[in-house]
């Protein structure tokens, strides 16, 4: 597939008001697999631009190592079906459809891990989901990430790696656009032809207003689904 026009979307805070890994942490907490309370401090550091990924992953990924993959998949499917997918409003789905009609490829590009986001991206009709990949060995998660986290400047790294498989680069595209809510995504926003700020945080809002980037708004969030109530595993 020749890629000349590319559309990119962030996930959390951009396509919905939800945060994928926060909701996952609370779901694991409901199952007694993880104490979700430290997530709030990590999330605040993310918003401030001071998150240390090594600290976050040291806390967050051990549950993947010690939990059977089948159980993780069962809980992941509940998360996607009952929390993440219903939270994407019609307005955001319309943005995706609009870009699909005028782009050669539409990608979901998120710092959240691919185990959680790839099924969601497929259900939303994205051609590919680029996220932080979790390392596996002998069918189980190791508790480490594989390669670079899809975060800050490395979001662009992941996009460029995908484009290289199609024989091109961002700089060579006829047109590119990226929708995001976070100042952490400025390296990729600054690399595309048409950046779009969605529900921008204060730092991104200031940058968007200064540079004349369009600013979109999501509708108000719906009812709060937490705490999620997992169904019992089937015998």
């Amino acid at each position: 597939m020749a890629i000349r026009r590319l559309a990119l979307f962030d996930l959390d805070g951009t396509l919905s008001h939800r945060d994928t890994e926060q909701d996952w942490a609370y779901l694991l907490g409901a199952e007694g697999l993880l104490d979700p309370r430290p997530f709030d401090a990590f999330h605040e550091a993310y918003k401030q631009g001071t998150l240390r990924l090594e600290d976050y992953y040291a806390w967050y990924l051990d549950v993947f190592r010690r939990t059977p993959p089948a159980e993780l998949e069962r809980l992941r499917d509940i998360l996607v079906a009952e929390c993440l997918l219903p939270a994407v409003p019609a307005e955001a789905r319309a943005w995706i459809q609009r870009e699909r009609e005028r782009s050669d490829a539409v990608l979901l590009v998120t710092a959240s891990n691919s185990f959680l986001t790839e099924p969601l991206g497929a259900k939303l009709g994205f051609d590919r989901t680029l996220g932080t990949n979790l390392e596996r060995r002998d069918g189980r998660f190791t508790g480490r990430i594989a390669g670079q986290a899809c975060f800050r400047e490395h979001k662009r790294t992941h996009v460029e790696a995908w484009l290289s498989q199609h024989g091109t680069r961002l700089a060579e595209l006829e047109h590119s656009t990226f929708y995001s809510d976070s100042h952490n995504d400025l390296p990729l926003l600054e690399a595309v032809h048409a950046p779009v700020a969605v529900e921008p945080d204060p730092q991104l809002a200031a940058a968007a207003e200064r540079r004349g980037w369009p600013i979109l708004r999501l509708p108000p969030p719906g009812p709060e689904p937490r705490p999620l109530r997992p169904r019992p595993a089937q015998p």
Side-chain angles (χ1 to χ4, degrees), residues 30-47:
E31 285 285 272
L33 296 171
L34 178 74
D35 178 1
R37 289 174 295 179
F39 185 91
D40 293 338
F42 287 118
H43 189 56
E44 184 60 30
Y46 167 82
K47 292 191 292 185

Side-chain angles (χ1 to χ4, degrees), residues 9-235:
F9 286 84
D10 176 49
L11 174 58
D12 303 319
T14 300
L15 293 180
S16 83
H17 293 283
R18 311 301 310 167
D19 184 285
T20 299
E21 295 197 346
Q22 182 181 51
D23 289 327
W24 178 242
Y26 275 86
L27 177 57
L28 295 176
E31 285 285 272
L33 296 171
L34 178 74
D35 178 1
R37 289 174 295 179
F39 185 91
D40 293 338
F42 287 118
H43 189 56
E44 184 60 30
Y46 167 82
K47 292 191 292 185
Q48 297 300 322
T50 59
L51 177 63
R52 287 170 47 88
L53 285 180
E54 57 269 32
D55 295 338
Y56 176 60
Y57 288 134
W59 166 75
Y60 180 71
L61 292 184
D62 187 61
V63 68
F64 284 88
R65 180 190 60 79
R66 53 185 167 78
T67 306
E71 178 65 0
L72 292 170
E73 290 166 5
R74 181 182 75 86
L75 295 171
R76 185 268 316 276
D77 292 346
I78 291 171
L79 181 77
V80 171
E82 298 185 7
C83 183
L84 301 180
L85 192 60
V88 180
E91 289 84 347
R93 293 170 190 260
W95 302 337
I96 299 168
Q97 180 59 32
R98 180 180 62 193
E99 294 300 343
R100 174 157 299 290
E101 292 170 356
R102 62 191 185 186
S103 305
D104 297 311
V106 184
L107 274 56
L108 184 62
V109 188
T110 173
S112 293
N113 71 76
S114 298
F115 173 73
L116 301 177
T117 56
E118 284 182 351
L120 178 62
K123 290 182 180 297
L124 291 172
F126 285 97
D127 295 299
R128 179 71 185 273
T129 295
L130 305 179
T132 298
N133 296 314
L134 304 185
E135 184 182 77
R136 294 196 195 211
R137 185 175 300 158
D138 299 327
R140 293 185 67 105
F141 292 104
T142 66
R144 297 185 293 269
I145 66 169
Q148 293 282 358
C150 190
F151 183 54
R152 294 185 182 141
E153 67 274 12
H154 292 299
K155 274 198 175 180
R156 179 174 180 176
T157 302
H158 280 249
V159 172
E160 294 283 16
W162 184 85
L163 284 172
S164 71
Q165 298 172 11
H166 297 273
T168 190
R169 299 181 298 131
L170 269 175
E172 296 172 349
L173 296 177
E174 176 185 313
H175 183 78
S176 57
T177 187
F178 179 38
Y179 294 66
S180 177
D181 71 303
S182 174
H183 71 282
N184 286 293
D185 286 340
L186 278 168
L188 183 53
L189 286 162
E190 292 168 343
V192 300
H193 295 98
V196 180
V198 181
E199 292 290 330
D201 62 29
Q203 300 97 313
L204 179 56
E209 291 170 4
R210 186 169 61 250
R211 302 179 193 190
W213 296 347
I215 296 176
L216 301 179
R217 296 294 177 184
L218 290 165
E224 176 65 49
R226 292 199 308 264
L228 295 170
R229 300 295 183 187
R231 301 187 192 93
Q234 296 299 314

